[in-house]
């Protein structure tokens, strides 16, 4: 098969990790007789520099016309002082919105070989960590009405947290479907003791749950969830939550994998078009030094094969190669521990290809 892929490599370490991702994908394509055609487009800070805006229409058009989108990372200190709607992050939020990618899947899996790199005590993770955070991605306060106004306390700013029944319903269904294919345990995270939007959220989750009697459902308030995650990480399977809570909890979960450099993500909508990106950001401090960990991006490529193209064997081939390289003792700096072999970004990519 032939697949059209839009590539938004972006800023900072984005282009470096993307280069390795494409090399890996091409090798998998060769092995399984697929061809991948890449169209590189600008998004984020590099687009601001060239076109004066973070998300040019051409980038949106190319992404829409593709079978899937690969994204590296956006942002950097050069653009940190720009106003909100001109910042590189707009590219990310804008693409998610324009492509209707409302479901963000962030799997946090602790590889056996990386147990040393996990900051939690060994007894807390002895049963392994395998959590899928399903984050709502196009609603809540990241997309709600926002602005400034005068109040009796002087100038104020607001970001509105709003969720419709339909928005909650579709993300909840996605989460239940995913849980069904895993350990059949879904944890809903909200703040319904305080927020009206969470009360609606909770009632919709309970409604949808009636269609999934085979999946065990429980609920946690977000503050408690952040605590339970580090107290008993092994007991979680799938977590479903809103945009801002998911943003925060997925960073927390990422640390259990040893490094945020290990965490891939998939952003999905109702069709097969998806956007795949590492959860780590542009890390400008280490950009261009060939030291960044490319595994999160390479595993995002595997998620693309599985979720957008339905190529489960090909995806597994990449995941197995990553596990093999880790078992052989190769580590980038972020997951380095005593007695292991330290390698750079390019060498990590080459080793993964060698072990496909
Ligand atoms: C993420 C990031 C983004 C988000 C930022 C960069 C806009 O933190 O993908 O988690 O908040 O969604
Ligand atoms: Mg985040």
């Amino acid at each position: 098969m032939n697949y059209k892929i839009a590539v938004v490599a972006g800023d900072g370490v984005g282009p470096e990790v993307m280069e390795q991702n494409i090399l890996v994908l091409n090798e998998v394509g060769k092995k399984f007789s697929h061809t991948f055609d890449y169209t590189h487009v600008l998004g984020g800070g590099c687009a601001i520099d060239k076109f004066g805006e973070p998300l040019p229409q051409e980038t949106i058009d190319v992404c829409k016309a593709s079978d899937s989108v690969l994204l590296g990372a956006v942002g950097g200190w050069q653009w940190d002082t720009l106003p909100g709607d001109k910042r590189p992050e707009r590219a990310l939020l804008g693409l998610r919105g324009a492509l209707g990618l409302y479901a963000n899947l962030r799997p946090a899996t602790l590889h056996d070989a990386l147990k040393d790199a996990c900051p939690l005590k060994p007894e807390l993770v002895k049963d392994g960590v395998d959590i899928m955070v399903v984050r709502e991605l196009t609603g809540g306060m990241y997309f709600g009405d926002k602005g400034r106004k005068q109040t009796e306390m002087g100038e104020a700013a607001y970001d509105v947290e709003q969720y419709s029944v339909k928005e909650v319903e579709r993300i909840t269904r996605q989460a239940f479907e995913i849980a069904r294919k895993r350990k059949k345990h879904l944890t809903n995270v909200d703040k319904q003791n305080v927020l009206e939007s969470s009360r609606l959220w909770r009632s919709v989750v309970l409604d949808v749950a009636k269609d999934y009697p085979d999946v065990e459902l429980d609920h946690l308030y977000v503050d408690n969830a952040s605590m339970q995650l580090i107290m008993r990480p092994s007991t979680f399977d799938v977590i479903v939550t809103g945009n801002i809570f998911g943003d925060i909890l997925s960073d927390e979960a990422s640390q259990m994998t040893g490094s945020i450099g290990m965490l891939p993500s998939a952003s999905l909508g109702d069709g097969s078009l998806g956007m795949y990106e590492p959860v780590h950001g542009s890390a400008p401090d280490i950009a261009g030094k060939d030291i960044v960990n490319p595994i999160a991006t390479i595993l995002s490529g595997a998620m693309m094969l599985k979720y957008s193209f339905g190529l489960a064997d090909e995806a597994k081939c990449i995941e197995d190669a990553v596990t093999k390289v880790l078992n052989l003792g190769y580590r980038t700096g972020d997951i380095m521990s005593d007695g292991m072999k330290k390698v750079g970004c390019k060498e990590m990519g080459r080793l993964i290809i060698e072990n496909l």
Side-chain angles (χ1 to χ4, degrees), residues 147-158:
R148 303 271 171 132
K149 62 178 177 191
Q150 285 304 321
T151 68
E152 67 276 16
M153 303 283 281
E155 191 186 2
Y158 59 92

Side-chain angles (χ1 to χ4, degrees), residues 106 135 247-248 250-251 279:
R106 300 188 160 186
R135 167 188 177 194
D247 188 18
I248 296 165
S250 61
D251 267 30
V279 171

Side-chain angles (χ1 to χ4, degrees), residues 308-319:
S308 277
F309 305 161
L311 304 175
D313 290 343
E314 288 83 339
K316 177 130 193 334
C317 174
I318 295 179
E319 288 160 5

Side-chain angles (χ1 to χ4, degrees), residues 36-295:
F36 302 121
D37 292 333
Y38 307 95
T39 307
H40 291 261
V41 281
L42 295 182
C46 54
I48 296 173
D49 289 348
K50 181 126 189 242
F51 302 113
E53 51 176 327
L55 183 59
Q57 188 58 41
E58 192 211 337
T59 297
I60 299 176
D61 294 343
V62 169
C63 290
K64 276 191 175 160
S66 301
D67 297 315
S68 84
V69 181
L70 289 174
L71 192 132
V74 297
W77 47 265
Q78 303 96 301
W79 308 285
D80 264 353
T81 51
L82 292 171
D85 59 334
K86 295 267 181 282
R87 292 180 59 99
E89 289 81 358
R90 283 308 312 164
L92 212 48
L93 296 166
L95 273 175
R96 291 168 180 169
L99 304 177
L101 307 174
Y102 61 82
N104 187 215
L105 277 44
R106 300 188 160 186
T109 316
L110 175 59
H111 284 80
D112 278 342
L114 290 187
K115 282 198 168 151
D116 281 352
C118 175
L120 295 181
K121 285 188 190 144
E123 63 259 35
L124 291 178
V125 294
K126 66 177 187 327
D127 297 329
V129 178
D130 183 10
I131 305 170
M132 176 69 90
V133 179
V134 180
R135 167 188 177 194
E136 200 291 327
L137 203 58
T138 52
M141 69 170 79
Y142 291 16
F143 284 81
D145 186 28
K146 54 182 87 252
R148 303 271 171 132
K149 62 178 177 191
Q150 285 304 321
T151 68
E152 67 276 16
M153 303 283 281
E155 191 186 2
Y158 59 92
D159 300 272
V160 175
E161 176 80 1
Q162 174 176 308
Y163 269 113
S164 66
V165 171
K166 189 168 168 243
E167 284 174 301
V168 183
E169 195 183 324
R170 62 187 187 180
I171 188 74
T172 306
R173 281 196 190 281
Q174 289 255 14
F176 269 113
E177 291 294 333
I178 291 164
R180 236 180 203 169
K181 298 192 194 102
R182 294 171 45 107
K183 289 181 229 142
K184 298 191 184 341
H185 176 198
L186 179 63
T187 302
N188 167 51
V189 173
D190 59 37
K191 187 71 186 173
Q192 76 132 8
N193 51 342
V194 179
L195 302 176
E196 192 57 31
S197 53
S198 277
R199 284 191 271 276
L200 178 131
W201 179 285
R202 173 85 61 112
S203 72
V204 175
V205 170
L206 287 169
D207 266 353
V208 174
K210 292 178 191 143
D211 293 341
Y212 298 87
D214 52 320
V215 177
E216 184 199 339
L217 173 68
D218 48 33
H219 308 268
L220 290 175
Y221 297 147
V222 62
D223 45 352
N224 188 22
S226 72
M227 188 171 79
Q228 301 295 334
L229 260 177
I230 52 166
M231 280 169 53
R232 49 174 183 90
S234 310
T235 62
F236 286 87
D237 179 20
V238 181
I239 293 174
V240 65
T241 191
N243 205 343
I244 186 166
F245 298 158
D247 188 18
I248 296 165
L249 291 180
S250 61
D251 267 30
E252 186 185 7
S254 80
Q255 276 310 294
M256 292 165 201
T257 69
S259 161
I260 199 166
M262 295 296 298
L263 210 71
S265 81
S267 303
L268 309 172
D270 284 325
S272 64
L273 174 74
M275 184 160 80
Y276 300 85
E277 54 178 304
V279 171
H280 66 71
S282 58
D285 51 325
I286 60 165
K289 297 183 181 160
D290 191 36
I291 55 176
V292 60
N293 185 352
I295 292 179

